[in-house]
Amino acid sequence: MEQARSAEGYEFEKTAVEGFQYDDKSIDGFKTMAHSTGLSTDQAKGVFNWLMADTSSKVSGAVKDHQASLDSAEATLKTEWGVDFDKNEGAMGKALGQFFNEEDQTLIGTMIQHNPLLANGFAKIGNMMGENNSGGDIGEGSSSAPTKEEAIDK
């Protein structure tokens, strides 16, 4: 079991893991630690492979949990909303588009996807905006719903 001559002498295989990106700076830090503590190349590979297998398992579990959360929230809303699912989903988009910039829409949209309570609230807001609409689409100036700036001013 031979130690690498320098930190750069350690080589590790990076196996693809869904939902995970390797951080080259962290790997370089690990190589430096392995060299400074006198780990052989085999020992460093063993520790690295164990850490990556453990991380892979945790990331895979998180990806599955994330998808299960999305599926559960969607199933709940499909049950609650029934035939109005598509209409309410569109109403949520209306409410988000009216009051939030694109970046905020993405962030809040992600929260809504996991939370039927939030989805119901935004759907109600969007549907109320539609009821107050005087004929055109939201955002074309024909809505009586205030813009974000108008709402802040009030």
Side-chain angles (χ1 to χ4, degrees), residues 46-121:
V47 172
F48 181 84
N49 290 340
W50 181 87
L51 286 170
M52 291 305 103
D54 185 58
T55 300
S56 173
S57 172
K58 289 175 181 170
V59 168
S60 294
V63 168
K64 287 177 187 171
D65 291 347
H66 174 78
Q67 190 59 51
S69 173
L70 290 174
D71 293 344
S72 174
E74 184 175 344
T76 297
L77 291 174
K78 283 185 175 183
T79 299
E80 288 179 19
W81 292 346
V83 296
D84 290 332
F85 180 82
D86 291 335
K87 179 188 96 159
N88 287 334
E89 195 171 46
M92 286 187 309
K94 248 186 216 180
L96 284 171
Q98 184 70 19
F99 297 107
F100 299 97
N101 64 38
E102 244 181 83
E103 185 178 327
D104 292 342
Q105 286 178 44
T106 300
L107 177 64
I108 295 167
T110 299
M111 290 187 284
I112 288 171
Q113 288 177 328
H114 293 275
N115 190 323
L117 182 64
L118 279 176
N120 277 319

Side-chain angles (χ1 to χ4, degrees), residues 7-23:
E8 294 78 26
Y10 293 97
E11 293 182 17
F12 307 114
E13 186 177 322
K14 296 190 267 185
T15 312
V17 178
E18 181 185 352
F20 177 76
Q21 284 187 326
Y22 287 91
D23 178 5

